[in-house]
Amino acid sequence: MKYIVCLENVNAAAYPLLEKWLQEKYEQQCAIRSRFGNYEEAHIKVFQISELSDWLRVYRSMKRQRCFYILILDRKWHHTSPLALKLQAHSLVLNPLKKSAFIRSVDDVLGMMQKNPAVLLQLEGKKVIASYQTAKNEPLENYVLRQLLHQTIQSENIMMDALSVFKENTFPNAVCYVEGFAHLDCDPADENRSAPLISSYFKTAFEGKVPRLYFVPFRKSMLVLFRQPESVCSLKDWEEGRRIFESIIHNLLKKHRIQIYIGVGSLYNDPHLLHYSFKEAELARSLPPFHEVSLRYYEEISKEPNIRKSTEFIHTHFGEEMTAKDVAKHVNLSYSHFIRLFKKETGNNFSEYVTFVRLRNGVRLLRQTNYTIEEVAEVTGFNTPNYFSSTFKKFVGTTPREFRLTREIVFV
């Protein structure tokens, strides 16, 4: 019996070279087929990865047929090599190709034909990691979501391949942006596992409420993506979802002394537009809340032109002295009309909103600079360091000095 080796997705430059190497050594053992042959009969598939869509084609091929896969990875896509582990490919060879590495991979696969297919992945013909360890690597779904959020998938064909990775009715249409820190009295064991602990609380709280949650680390933050129940049209109006978010925040703080903040984007059922929910969630996280400090919905941010103009002015001039009358004049509204409209649209009175903007920038300066508490208070527009400290304690739950000693949770 001859084993069938299919050169499934190999470009014109590499094809004759691989065909020659296979014929030279394996003419008696193997029959070579191109991708135009009957690939369903293949025992080994050689697949070249030259762009993102090729990973998706491998995934779809593996769903159709279980056989041995040797992947050839172009060097510009070397950073995606963990996907080979996730897909449990049997060998991974880097391109430009080395004959010795390719032949070692084929030899090893042929030697395993009579053995259990759960084998070790190879990199350049050397065994490096067992396939059962692949769960530690980023899921293929997460990789696809990253590409969508960074708008690197434009082609409709690639988009269709990308969506095939997800099970029916599980593709997310909403993004939450999560940040946090561990208080000084947090148990060291909880602090060390804070990221997986937060994820576990989300999983438990949302179980049975959404089809699936996806956790995508983003810089120091974490993105939580899910599909909104069909019966709900707006996340801010989803009362059950609001209660779930609030319970996660409350329980993490009460039981583990871990403080998290959540920004929630809008719903976008078109996959091409999912990145908008991501940007909205990130923005919501940074702006003053309508109700709760730890939970902010983008949909609650005012769209009224004069209020948007006024809040932009506040965010630009937060370190300066300003009054509601000053800002009302800036947007050409009467003082009385402005303060009523501002409260209605932002959920805060003018002084509350300004205070929060100043605190938010104070948090940034405490984390990112060596400014003294006095200097931070002055830069952010507080009259005295004591007033800054007491206000900070009220909203954040710790003094500025203590906050500087806390550890920011890094999800990446």
Side-chain angles (χ1 to χ4, degrees):
M1 169 187 172
K2 281 192 174 184
Y3 294 113
I4 296 175
V5 180
C6 178
L7 303 181
E8 171 78 10
N9 191 72
V10 177
N11 65 33
Y15 187 93
L17 190 61
L18 294 176
E19 186 178 40
K20 177 184 176 182
W21 291 344
L22 289 169
Q23 287 176 342
E24 284 178 351
K25 183 166 184 181
Y26 306 107
E27 185 177 4
Q28 302 302 318
Q29 294 174 270
C30 300
I32 303 166
R33 301 284 186 268
S34 74
R35 60 177 176 172
F36 303 108
N38 186 2
Y39 60 82
E40 295 296 345
E41 297 179 357
H43 298 97
I44 303 171
K45 287 189 178 182
V46 179
F47 217 108
Q48 185 169 355
I49 307 296
S50 301
E51 56 186 33
L52 171 62
S53 60
D54 291 331
W55 280 117
L56 302 173
R57 291 190 184 101
V58 170
Y59 172 79
R60 294 178 72 179
S61 178
M62 287 180 169
K63 288 179 67 176
R64 288 197 305 265
Q65 183 184 17
R66 182 175 178 81
C67 64
F68 288 81
Y69 284 78
I70 297 175
L71 304 183
I72 299 171
L73 183 64
D74 288 2
R75 287 195 181 271
K76 71 174 183 177
W77 289 94
H78 186 218
H79 63 285
T80 68
S81 59
L83 292 178
L85 296 171
K86 174 62 181 176
L87 294 174
Q88 297 191 15
H90 301 94
S91 285
L92 182 66
V93 183
L94 300 183
N95 192 28
L97 288 164
K98 293 181 181 178
K99 181 179 180 180
S100 57
F102 179 71
I103 293 300
R104 280 198 302 271
S105 293
V106 176
D107 281 344
D108 198 73
V109 169
L110 289 173
M112 292 185 296
M113 283 298 194
Q114 305 301 321
K115 298 179 183 179
N116 191 314
V119 298
L120 298 178
L121 175 75
Q122 294 190 353
L123 178 61
E124 296 287 15
K126 298 179 180 179
K127 297 176 182 178
V128 292
I129 189 168
S131 61
Y132 65 81
Q133 294 177 303
T134 60
K136 295 181 180 180
N137 295 277
E138 184 175 51
L140 182 58
E141 296 95 323
N142 279 23
Y143 184 79
V144 171
L145 289 172
R146 283 184 183 279
Q147 305 309 307
L148 286 170
L149 295 177
H150 288 91
Q151 304 176 62
T152 57
I153 298 180
Q154 303 293 334
S155 163
E156 285 296 332
N157 289 335
I158 295 179
M159 178 64 76
M160 292 302 294
D161 285 338
L163 295 181
S164 72
V165 171
F166 299 85
K167 294 182 179 179
E168 187 177 1
N169 295 323
T170 64
F171 185 83
N173 59 4
V175 180
C176 300
Y177 190 95
V178 181
E179 291 180 316
F181 68 91
H183 282 270
L184 291 177
D185 56 350
C186 176
D187 187 311
D190 287 345
E191 183 177 351
N192 291 334
R193 63 187 184 100
S194 52
L197 186 63
I198 292 169
S199 297
S200 70
Y201 267 79
F202 270 91
K203 289 177 182 177
T204 301
F206 275 96
E207 186 176 4
K209 310 300 181 184
V210 298
R212 180 176 171 182
L213 289 176
Y214 300 91
F215 300 95
V216 180
F218 179 77
R219 298 175 187 157
K220 293 182 179 180
S221 309
M222 178 173 70
L223 306 181
V224 182
L225 301 91
F226 60 88
R227 185 163 196 85
Q228 175 81 5
E230 297 295 334
S231 59
V232 180
C233 300
S234 167
L235 281 171
K236 76 176 179 65
D237 296 329
W238 184 28
E239 289 301 326
E240 184 178 25
R242 187 184 292 270
R243 289 194 296 271
I244 290 173
F245 285 130
E246 290 173 349
S247 71
I248 294 171
I249 294 166
H250 172 77
N251 289 330
L252 281 168
L253 181 59
K254 182 179 179 180
K255 298 178 181 179
H256 306 282
R257 298 298 292 157
I258 291 175
Q259 177 71 62
I260 65 167
Y261 300 91
I262 305 173
V264 184
S266 306
L267 293 173
Y268 289 93
N269 288 314
D270 184 344
H272 288 289
L273 304 180
L274 187 64
H275 66 277
Y276 283 119
S277 187
F278 160 51
K279 294 296 183 183
E280 291 172 359
E282 185 178 21
L283 179 61
R285 163 67 189 100
S286 67
L287 294 180
F290 197 93
H291 295 294
E292 298 293 330
V293 171
S294 298
L295 178 61
R296 305 161 207 171
Y297 289 82
Y298 177 80
E299 293 170 286
E300 293 177 336
I301 298 174
S302 175
K303 310 302 186 293
E304 205 284 330
N306 286 315
I307 296 303
R308 298 201 74 160
K309 185 178 179 181
S310 68
T311 55
E312 287 172 3
F313 181 86
I314 293 170
H315 283 271
T316 303
H317 301 276
F318 65 87
E320 306 169 14
E321 289 189 14
M322 70 175 79
T323 66
K325 289 183 178 180
D326 296 331
V327 181
K329 183 178 180 180
H330 176 72
V331 296
N332 297 315
L333 293 177
S334 70
Y335 170 72
S336 59
H337 177 57
F338 172 72
I339 58 174
R340 286 195 300 271
L341 183 63
F342 195 91
K343 174 68 173 179
K344 174 186 175 184
E345 292 291 323
T346 68
N348 300 272
N349 63 41
F350 179 80
S351 62
E352 290 172 339
Y353 193 96
V354 173
T355 296
F356 188 90
V357 172
R358 287 171 171 168
L359 283 176
R360 176 67 173 159
N361 282 277
V363 167
R364 176 179 55 82
L365 293 173
L366 289 170
R367 285 286 187 214
Q368 300 177 7
T369 73
N370 293 319
Y371 286 4
T372 65
I373 306 300
E374 292 74 16
E375 288 171 332
V376 173
E378 181 179 359
V379 169
T380 53
F382 286 91
N383 293 330
T384 67
N386 286 339
Y387 179 50
F388 169 61
S389 295
S390 62
T391 306
F392 194 97
K393 171 78 172 178
K394 176 183 176 182
F395 283 93
V396 182
T398 181
T399 67
R401 200 172 307 279
E402 291 170 340
F403 177 79
R404 187 165 249 170
L405 296 175
T406 63
R407 194 180 80 170
E408 187 176 13
I409 297 170
V410 178
F411 292 92
V412 177

